[in-house]
C-alpha cells in the first residue's frame, strides 16, 4: 500500500520540480530599477527600419550607493513594444515572468558592464516591424541572471515612446506606387497607339 502510494507521489513531485525549473524566470516586478537609460529618438519620432540609427546611453543612478553595481557583469539592451502595439497581439504580450515575457524581442546590444556611463549606436534591423517602441536594459550577473534593469520610459510605459516604420510597411506603399505607375503607362501607350493610328489613316487619305 505504501509503495503504490509513494511512486505516483514521487512522480508528481518530480513533475512539479521540473515544471518550476523550466517554467519560471525572474519577475520584472522584483528587479530594482537602478540604471538610467536614455535614447536619441524624441517622443513620437518616426524612424525607418534598415536605415535609421538610435543612440542609447546608460549609467547607474548616482543617488544609489556606488557598490550597487558590484555584481553587474553584462548589460543587455533590448528594443521593446509599447502597450499600444501589444493590444490584441498575444505574441507580444507582457508577462512579469521574464522567461515568458514577449515585450522586448529585439536585441540592441550585449556588452560588459562598465562603471562609467556608456552608449551604443544601433542601426535598426530590417526585420523590426512597424510599431511603437521603447528601450530597456537588463543588468546580468556572472551567471547570466537578470538582477536589475533600466528603461527609457516610465513604469506605465507611456512616456518617451517612438515609432519605427518597418520595411514591409514601406514596400506595400511602394507596390501601390508601382501599380499606379504601370496603370499610367498602359493608358499612355494606348493613347499614343490611337494617335499613331489616326495619323496613319490621315496619311492614307
Ligand atoms: C534615482 O533613484 C532615486 C532613488 O531611488 C529615485 O528617486 C530617482 O527617481 C531615480 N532617478 C531616475 C532618473 O530614475
Ligand atoms: C552619466 O549620466 C547621468 C544621467 O544621464 C548624468 O547625470 C551624469 O552626469 C553622467 N555622468 C558622467 C560621468 O558623464
Amino acid at each position: 500500500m505504501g509503495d503504490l502510494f509513494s511512486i505516483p507521489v514521487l512522480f508528481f513531485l518530480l513533475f512539479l520540480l521540473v515544471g518550476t525549473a523550466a517554467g519560471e524566470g525572474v519577475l520584472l516586478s522584483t528587479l530594482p530599477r537602478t540604471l538610467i537609460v536614455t535614447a536619441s529618438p524624441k517622443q513620437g519620432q518616426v524612424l525607418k527600419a534598415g536605415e535609421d540609427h538610435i543612440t542609447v546611453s546608460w549609467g547607474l543612478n548616482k543617488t544609489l550607493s556606488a557598490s550597487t553595481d558590484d555584481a553587474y557583469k553584462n548589460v543587455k539592451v533590448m528594443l521593446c513594444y509599447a502597450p499600444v502595439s501589444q493590444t490584441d497581439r498575444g505574441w507580444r504580450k507582457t508577462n512579469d515572468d521574464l522567461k515568458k515575457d514577449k515585450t522586448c524581442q529585439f536585441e540592441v546590444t550585449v556588452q560588459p558592464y562598465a562603471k562609467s556611463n556608456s552608449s551604443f549606436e544601433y542601426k535598426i534591423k530590417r526585420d523590426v516591424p512597424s510599431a511603437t517602441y521603447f528601450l530597456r536594459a537588463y543588468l546580468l550577473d556572472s551567471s547570466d541572471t537578470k538582477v536589475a534593469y533600466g528603461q527609457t520610459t516610465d513604469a506605465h510605459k507611456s512616456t518617451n515612446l517612438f515609432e519605427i516604420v518597418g520595411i514591409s510597411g514601406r514596400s506595400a506603399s511602394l507596390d501601390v506606387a508601382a501599380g499606379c505607375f504601370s496603370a499610367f503607362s498602359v493608358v499612355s501607350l494606348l493613347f499614343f497607339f490611337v494617335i499613331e493610328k489616326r495619323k496613319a489613316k490621315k496619311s492614307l487619305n
Side-chain angles (χ1 to χ4, degrees), residues 33 36 61 63-64:
R33 185 173 170 174
I36 296 176
N61 181 337
T63 64
L64 302 168

Side-chain angles (χ1 to χ4, degrees), residues 20-27 95-102 146:
T20 42
E24 276 179 33
V26 176
L27 304 180
N95 193 317
D96 196 31
D97 180 343
L98 292 178
K99 251 193 189 154
K100 298 176 187 150
D101 183 42
K102 300 190 186 76
K146 297 182 175 96

Side-chain angles (χ1 to χ4, degrees), residues 33-37 60-64 151:
R33 185 173 170 174
T34 59
L35 208 66
I36 296 176
V37 184
L60 189 72
N61 181 337
K62 292 294 181 220
T63 64
L64 302 168
Q151 61 190 22

Side-chain angles (χ1 to χ4, degrees), residues 15-162:
F15 172 79
L16 275 187
L17 241 153
V18 171
T20 42
E24 276 179 33
V26 176
L27 304 180
L28 180 69
S29 57
T30 64
L31 294 183
R33 185 173 170 174
T34 59
L35 208 66
I36 296 176
V37 184
T38 55
S40 53
K42 295 189 178 59
Q43 162 83 34
Q45 192 175 340
V46 179
L47 302 155
K48 292 192 184 109
E51 281 180 37
D52 290 334
H53 292 75
I54 294 172
T55 303
V56 52
S57 309
W58 61 89
L60 189 72
N61 181 337
K62 292 294 181 220
T63 64
L64 302 168
S65 111
S67 63
T68 304
D69 57 4
D70 283 352
Y72 300 172
K73 185 90 191 322
N74 289 302
V75 57
K76 181 179 192 174
V77 183
M78 304 290 292
L79 186 61
C80 313
Y81 290 113
V84 66
S85 295
Q86 292 177 300
T87 43
D88 300 328
R89 291 176 179 91
W91 65 94
R92 296 179 182 173
K93 207 171 158 71
T94 292
N95 193 317
D96 196 31
D97 180 343
L98 292 178
K99 251 193 189 154
K100 298 176 187 150
D101 183 42
K102 300 190 186 76
T103 314
C104 304
Q105 298 189 11
F106 305 95
E107 188 180 302
V108 169
T109 180
V110 180
Q111 45 181 279
Y113 177 78
K115 275 190 173 267
S116 54
N117 287 352
S118 308
S119 72
F120 180 78
E121 188 173 305
Y122 168 69
K123 181 171 181 189
I124 305 168
K125 293 251 165 66
R126 296 174 58 87
D127 63 345
V128 174
S130 296
T132 305
Y133 294 90
F134 66 93
L135 291 153
R136 178 182 289 165
Y138 292 111
L139 285 323
L140 310 171
D141 68 7
S142 52
S143 65
D144 237 17
T145 304
K146 297 182 175 96
V147 290
Y149 79 107
Q151 61 190 22
T152 55
T153 185
D154 64 349
H156 303 292
K157 299 181 275 190
S158 61
T159 58
N160 292 324
L161 306 174
F162 55 90

